[in-house]
Amino acid sequence: MYSIQTCIVIFVSTSLYTLGRWAYLHHRRVIAFWLAAIAILGIIAAGLGGTTKNTFAIPGTESQAAVDSLGRTFPQFSGASAYLIIVAPNGETIVDERSRGLITGAEKEIAKVDGVSEVVSPYSDLTPISISHDKRAAMIQIQFIGQVTDIKPAQLDALQKIDKPLLNAGYQAKFGGDAFTNTGPALSPTEAIGVFLAFIVLYLMFTSFRAALVPIATALVGVLVTMALTLIATRFVTISPSAPLLALMIGLAVGIDYALFILSRHREQLGEGIEPEEAAARAVATAGSAVVFAGATVVIALVGLAVARIPFLTVMGIVAAMSVLVAVAVALTLLPAIFAVVGPKLAPRNAHAPGGFSRRWVAATTRFPFVAIAIVVVGLIVVAAPARDLKLALPDNGTSPVGSTQRTSFDLVEKNFGPGFNGPLLITVDVISTKDPVGVIDDIAADIQKVDGITAIGLATPNKTGDTGVVQVIPTTAPSSERTKDLVNAIRDRAPGWEKEYGVDVAVTGLTAGGIDISQRLSDALLPFGLVVVGLSVLLLMIVFRSIVVPVKATIGFMLSTGASLGAVVAVFQWGWFASLVNLEQTGPLVSFLPIMLMAVLFGLSMDYEVFLMSRMKEEYILTDDAHRAIADGFVGSSRVVTSAAVIMLAVFAAFVPDGDPNIKPIAFALAIGVFADAFLIRMLFAPAVLQLFGRLAWVLPGRLDTALPHADIEGAGLHRQIDLGYWPGPDSLAAISAAGLTASGPDGAVFNDVNIDLPRGDWLVVHGPTGSGKTALLLTLAGRMAFDDGLLRINGFLLPQESVKVRKTVALGEFVGINDLEDNLTVDQHIAERLSIRSFGVWVRNSRITPVRDSLNDALQQASQQAGIPFRPLRGTDLISTLSRLEHKMLGVSLALITSPKIVLIEDVDDLRSGESISLLWSALRALIPEHDVTVVASVQSTSSAPPQSAHVHYLELNTSRTIQELMF
């Protein structure tokens, strides 16, 4: 007996070839679709779109659990808060009569605003710290009913009108607090400069205004669609202000790059004289395949942020991943449609001569591979050194743009009260089990006062029911300070002692404590995120390139470039190096989600260059079978495009640095450094040097892995084969099955060898041979369900294996043992209903559809019985499969196969009927069941004695593997 394993082949290139040609031929529909999408989504976004909101809730942390508990027991402290800081004019104090009157009036107006649950006066005995020591400043505390995400812009607008009398009287007055952290995407003119620089790079590369404009246009279409979808989503999901900016930045970068790769291949083929329609289809098939897999790695990395189990970060990743998916969709459809509009005008004026600088560069790199590797590794490790000093914190209003309401109020509080007043801590005490809640809270507050790093205790009180108390702690340092983090940890370290002494549960919460918890959760998530995302992407690269060396090299390169980008961002944004060049107002800790977001985005983008560069080298290796030549030719063929794409991405990211959102600025800077290191050092130096060292081994995958993993054809080998064999076996061929030199082997040797078939449509083919001669394997191969090793095969006009999916739709199997066995415990009608439901995707099947199938089967069996002169008993719908005769069993399998209206039906092992009479009845029943010349039949038998009578429409194929091998040996 033989054993053979099926092989899954993902022919992305052939599917994209069809898509590219369709988009080219139907360009008006495609362009209209994308323009309509922009218009419709824009209208919906304008009508339904909400606003972005900063919320950093993380289920499962101590601070969040305390907030949730306060929502039930002490709701006054669980909702969003705000404040109004008032600074008296020079020569006046906040406690004089005029000030009291103005501030009291403001308090009354604030209390009238919808959603405000409580207003605490600075003159209240409960808040002695709300007036500064010099009596020049005061803070009105405001509490909302809901959380930050529940506050509507209209409520904030109503508040901000209340400070007008104070401002008119010469006071400084600004609203601030966590309620005022809701800001929309802030764009500046520098982002447009990035797009303009990208256009300049494209123009210098293509020397064509028309060609340079195409990637910009398609990228903008993708960005507009993504932004509209994001605004619509804000109505239903809480999205942070940084999410759309990140999506915009990534969408622009990958949108231009993906279009660039496809456009470059299209122009290259136009320069070779290929017709525009064919060039567009091939460009989408080859470069588009790389785009699909590169986009998949970016999406995997961004969606993988969910591993951190941080809701706002997961949403950021999904929004950014959506921008990548839209960019891929636009590149694969809108781009070929534009090619159709422009036509041959995109052809290059002068073909670039092969070689040049890129060939000399790769020659030097591969000549001294150890030197190239050492330069890259040592250099990037040195740049990464500052990353050891990385400090993280959540963004607060102190990082908001200068001049904004939240930033001005933040600075006024720090100046007049101290930095700790911008980040008070809230200590919750569960005092339900104590008989003296006031005394316990006072004792704990007094004990907290002794901890280093505390300016004051603002409030210490139980709620009205006496089951929960709160202690407000004002640190001496700013919310993002490491000393504030140390204070939170010091208080938490004392909590077990209080719990033991007083029998109460103590927790630290508030925005500052929540930020510390989030930072810790993010730090803890880095390792599992790296393992999951990098592991999945390494597996994807392994599938694509059939190599161990390529994905391992890519991972090492990613680690080096990520380390360098983290080191650079620490040196600039924490140490202050070259701060003026990036328009940095102040140094300090980096936003907590920067490392994990950087890992996600940079990994995806670095895989872009990996896929584009390696796919071209792999394509050359497949064509030449020369590993070292493939490095040079692949590098020359792709390096110019890769470096141009990297420069464009650098321009887009760098444009978000000078005047960008404070949270996005360091991410954009880190990505720019990472892209530079990855594209110009890792891909241009490190990658070819490593491949040179491994030679042919770089493109080898161990046997077991090679068998287990599906194959993905992104280099277009299957497409080239399909194009080359476009007219085989002939332009006028009417064959249902054409095979030439078809060969397959398994672990035990050859399964079938040198099979040649030319079977007209509607004819019958009888494959005969002894047990183990490969009959079943050949039938499954003809059905597109099993891979073959060599030869040519076309079924119903579709070339295998490239179009195996289409083949499987036109070829149906009768019952094959171990593949689609009939269930003995089901009835005839149940099997027919099941097959019909699969056909129509329905749950219920009417009897009116089942009866015709059973009737046609009975008619065929009756005709065969009458011809043979034997009695006939019709099958009943209630008959169990286990009660059927072998003939009825076999014929039911064929009837079920015919339900899908196939062009070819395959029948296995006719000898299974055993008696010659039953076999003869089978052939007669098949002729009655299957209309002549409508469906091609292929059946297997062991001996020609079991075959149907010879005729002009019945053909025979003998399989004898052992004899064929013997003949080949001599």
Side-chain angles (χ1 to χ4, degrees):
M1 292 293 290
Y2 65 84
S3 174
I4 186 168
Q5 292 182 318
T6 58
C7 179
I8 301 173
V9 184
I10 307 172
F11 285 102
V12 178
S13 58
T14 53
S15 301
L16 293 180
Y17 178 82
T18 303
L19 175 63
R21 184 180 292 278
W22 181 90
Y24 187 98
L25 294 174
H26 301 86
H27 57 274
R28 290 186 179 87
R29 293 188 199 174
V30 174
I31 294 173
F33 168 81
W34 285 109
L35 292 178
I38 294 173
I40 294 171
L41 292 174
I43 293 172
I44 296 174
L48 290 180
T51 58
T52 57
K53 297 179 175 69
N54 261 331
T55 176
F56 300 110
I58 299 187
T61 60
E62 176 181 322
S63 56
Q64 187 61 43
V67 168
D68 295 339
S69 177
L70 284 175
R72 298 185 296 271
T73 61
F74 218 147
Q76 296 93 329
F77 287 93
S78 65
S81 63
Y83 60 79
L84 173 62
I85 180 170
I86 306 105
V87 180
N90 291 332
E92 298 186 33
T93 68
I94 214 73
V95 294
D96 61 28
E97 186 175 348
R98 187 170 83 114
S99 297
R100 282 179 177 270
L102 289 168
I103 292 174
T104 302
E107 291 170 8
K108 292 178 181 179
E109 293 300 316
I110 292 172
K112 297 177 183 178
V113 173
D114 182 38
V116 172
S117 61
E118 189 171 358
V119 179
V120 181
S121 171
Y123 307 114
S124 170
D125 294 336
L126 295 176
T127 57
I129 62 171
S130 293
I131 296 177
S132 63
H133 293 299
D134 61 3
K135 304 295 190 295
R136 294 254 354 268
M139 294 173 64
I140 300 174
Q141 302 294 335
I142 307 164
Q143 201 71 30
F144 287 87
I145 295 174
Q147 300 298 319
V148 172
T149 53
D150 301 320
I151 300 175
K152 296 179 174 56
Q155 294 172 273
L156 300 182
D157 292 341
L159 276 180
Q160 289 181 292
K161 295 176 182 178
I162 295 172
D163 61 6
K164 294 295 187 296
L166 288 162
L167 295 174
N168 293 336
Y171 290 75
Q172 287 181 281
K174 281 292 179 181
F175 283 93
D178 57 309
F180 283 86
T181 59
N182 301 347
T183 56
L187 297 177
S188 65
T190 55
E191 282 80 27
I193 294 175
V195 176
F196 177 73
L197 290 177
F199 173 77
I200 296 299
V201 173
L202 290 168
Y203 181 78
L204 293 175
M205 178 183 176
F206 293 132
T207 64
S208 165
F209 178 86
R210 188 179 289 107
L213 194 59
V214 169
I216 302 294
T218 55
L220 290 176
V221 168
V223 164
L224 289 173
V225 170
T226 301
M227 290 298 102
L229 289 171
T230 303
L231 287 176
I232 294 171
T234 57
R235 169 69 66 171
F236 310 100
V237 181
T238 301
I239 298 178
S240 70
S242 301
L245 286 175
L246 182 68
L248 173 64
M249 182 172 63
I250 294 175
L252 273 176
V254 300
I256 295 173
D257 275 9
Y258 291 166
L260 166 63
F261 284 107
I262 296 175
L263 175 61
S264 298
R265 187 63 66 93
H266 178 65
R267 282 168 52 86
E268 179 182 317
Q269 291 172 152
L270 288 177
E272 295 172 358
I274 299 175
E275 290 297 318
E277 177 186 333
E278 180 67 16
R282 293 190 189 184
V284 173
T286 51
S289 296
V291 164
V292 168
F293 278 87
T297 59
V298 182
V299 170
I300 287 173
L302 290 169
V303 174
L305 289 170
V307 172
R309 296 180 295 116
I310 298 175
F312 79 87
L313 191 63
T314 299
V315 172
M316 286 182 70
I318 291 173
V319 171
M322 179 175 64
S323 73
V324 176
L325 288 174
V326 172
V328 171
V330 169
L332 297 179
T333 56
L334 182 58
L335 205 55
I338 293 175
F339 292 165
V341 174
V342 182
K345 296 178 182 178
L346 283 174
R349 299 171 187 172
N350 299 305
H352 294 280
F357 176 77
S358 59
R359 189 170 292 277
R360 292 192 297 272
W361 176 274
V362 74
T365 301
T366 53
R367 185 178 179 184
F368 306 104
F370 286 106
V371 175
I373 293 172
I375 291 173
V376 172
V377 172
V378 174
L380 292 181
I381 288 176
V382 170
V383 177
R388 293 176 299 178
D389 195 33
L390 178 66
K391 292 181 175 61
L392 302 173
L394 270 185
D396 53 36
N397 286 341
T399 62
S400 298
V402 174
S404 63
T405 296
Q406 55 268 33
R407 176 61 181 274
T408 303
S409 61
F410 186 95
D411 292 342
L412 285 173
V413 169
E414 181 172 334
K415 177 181 178 181
N416 291 278
F417 288 89
F421 280 77
N422 278 312
L425 305 176
L426 199 62
I427 316 301
T428 66
V429 186
D430 184 358
V431 292
I432 193 171
S433 60
T434 181
K435 296 180 180 179
D436 183 17
V438 175
V440 168
I441 293 171
D442 288 342
D443 289 346
I444 292 176
D447 201 8
I448 292 174
Q449 183 75 63
K450 300 174 185 177
V451 179
D452 290 338
I454 295 178
T455 293
I457 300 295
L459 182 70
T461 182
N463 61 359
K464 294 180 181 179
T465 58
D467 56 12
T468 303
V470 294
V471 179
Q472 187 185 44
V473 176
I474 309 298
T476 58
T477 51
S480 60
S481 170
E482 281 292 309
R483 292 177 59 190
T484 303
K485 179 180 178 181
D486 294 338
L487 173 62
V488 170
N489 292 331
I491 296 175
R492 285 175 172 171
D493 290 341
R494 288 179 177 238
W498 296 323
E499 292 168 6
K500 183 177 180 180
E501 181 177 356
Y502 302 108
V504 296
D505 291 330
V506 179
V508 184
T509 187
L511 281 180
T512 301
I516 292 170
D517 289 344
I518 290 174
S519 298
Q520 187 60 49
R521 174 71 69 83
L522 286 165
S523 298
D524 295 341
L526 280 176
L527 181 59
F529 169 78
L531 292 176
V532 171
V533 175
V534 174
L536 286 174
S537 297
V538 165
L539 179 63
L540 184 61
L541 288 175
M542 203 179 294
I543 291 171
V544 171
F545 296 112
R546 319 306 296 175
S547 166
I548 294 290
V549 173
V550 170
V552 171
K553 167 192 63 62
T555 303
I556 294 173
F558 158 71
M559 293 170 63
L560 289 170
S561 56
T562 301
S565 60
L566 284 174
V569 79
V570 167
V572 173
F573 287 84
Q574 283 186 204
W575 295 358
W577 293 6
F578 310 109
S580 59
L581 294 180
V582 297
N583 194 25
L584 184 63
E585 298 171 359
Q586 62 184 30
T587 61
L590 299 170
V591 61
S592 297
F593 53 81
L594 183 146
I596 196 168
M597 183 62 71
L598 175 66
M599 284 179 63
V601 178
L602 187 57
F603 186 84
L605 298 180
S606 68
M607 291 304 104
D608 281 2
Y609 302 126
E610 179 74 10
V611 171
F612 292 134
L613 187 64
M614 293 299 109
S615 62
R616 195 61 181 264
M617 291 183 181
K618 179 72 178 293
E619 186 177 347
E620 295 295 335
Y621 176 69
I622 291 173
L623 295 174
T624 64
D625 196 34
D626 186 333
H628 299 297
R629 178 183 169 187
I631 296 172
D633 292 347
F635 187 90
V636 171
S638 59
S639 61
R640 187 168 181 267
V641 180
V642 169
T643 52
S644 297
V647 171
I648 290 171
M649 202 166 279
L650 273 171
V652 172
F653 289 151
F656 282 81
V657 174
D659 298 311
D661 178 270
N663 299 327
I664 293 296
K665 181 195 289 272
I667 296 177
F669 177 82
L671 286 173
I673 296 298
V675 166
F676 174 82
D678 190 87
F680 294 101
L681 299 178
I682 299 298
R683 307 306 157 198
M684 298 296 107
L685 271 174
F686 184 76
V690 171
L691 293 180
Q692 177 70 18
L693 288 179
F694 282 91
R696 297 177 67 89
L697 292 176
W699 308 109
V700 172
L701 194 64
R704 289 188 178 180
L705 272 177
D706 191 43
T707 303
L709 295 177
H711 292 251
D713 173 33
I714 72 165
E715 299 87 12
L719 174 65
H720 292 311
R721 184 174 183 269
Q722 184 175 339
I723 293 172
D724 293 341
L725 298 174
Y727 294 102
W728 177 84
D732 300 322
S733 174
L734 298 176
I737 301 175
S738 298
L742 203 62
T743 302
S745 60
D748 300 326
V751 178
F752 53 80
N753 219 325
D754 197 26
V755 173
N756 299 284
I757 304 173
D758 186 15
L759 182 66
R761 294 174 186 173
D763 283 10
W764 289 18
L765 175 65
V766 180
V767 181
H768 60 94
T771 301
S773 59
K775 300 186 298 297
T776 300
L778 177 61
L779 264 61
L780 292 175
T781 301
L782 299 180
R785 290 165 171 82
M786 185 170 285
F788 57 92
D789 297 325
D790 199 8
L792 307 177
L793 180 60
R794 192 181 290 276
I795 305 292
N796 294 321
F798 301 121
L799 189 68
L800 284 168
Q802 284 75 17
E803 298 177 288
S804 58
V805 174
K806 296 178 181 177
V807 169
R808 287 195 288 271
K809 292 179 180 178
T810 64
V811 180
L813 304 179
E815 185 184 19
F816 273 59
V817 177
I819 296 178
N820 59 344
D821 303 275
L822 302 182
E823 295 288 339
D824 286 344
N825 59 341
L826 295 182
T827 66
V828 171
D829 278 4
Q830 284 174 334
H831 266 293
I832 295 173
E834 180 183 51
R835 192 64 59 92
L836 286 169
S837 66
I838 294 173
R839 171 75 169 168
S840 60
F841 299 101
V843 178
W844 302 103
V845 179
R846 297 189 302 271
N847 284 332
S848 59
R849 296 180 59 202
I850 297 174
T851 303
V853 177
R854 189 177 70 250
D855 289 345
S856 63
L857 172 59
N858 279 324
D859 289 344
L861 289 170
Q862 183 177 14
Q863 290 184 41
S865 299
Q866 289 175 350
Q867 291 176 11
I870 61 174
F872 167 70
R873 183 191 71 85
L875 289 176
R876 293 171 299 181
T878 56
D879 288 343
L880 290 173
I881 300 301
S882 59
T883 65
L884 302 185
S885 67
R886 291 180 181 271
L887 173 63
E888 293 168 337
H889 204 281
K890 185 77 72 175
M891 285 298 298
L892 177 60
V894 175
S895 295
L896 295 175
L898 290 172
I899 287 176
T900 61
S901 303
K903 294 183 178 180
I904 299 176
V905 172
L906 305 179
I907 306 170
E908 182 194 29
D909 196 12
V910 173
D911 302 277
D912 181 55
L913 299 181
R914 298 184 181 176
S915 72
E917 182 180 47
S918 295
I919 292 174
S920 179
L921 285 171
L922 175 71
W923 296 122
S924 298
L926 285 175
R927 290 200 179 279
L929 182 65
I930 300 176
E932 189 174 359
H933 306 311
D934 283 355
V935 178
T936 303
V937 175
V938 180
S940 66
V941 300
Q942 291 191 22
S943 170
T944 53
S945 61
S946 301
Q950 291 189 4
S951 73
H953 298 293
V954 176
H955 311 269
Y956 299 91
L957 173 65
E958 181 181 8
L959 290 185
N960 192 328
T961 304
S962 59
R963 190 193 67 190
T964 306
I965 294 175
Q966 192 175 26
E967 290 173 353
L968 289 174
M969 289 175 64
F970 294 98

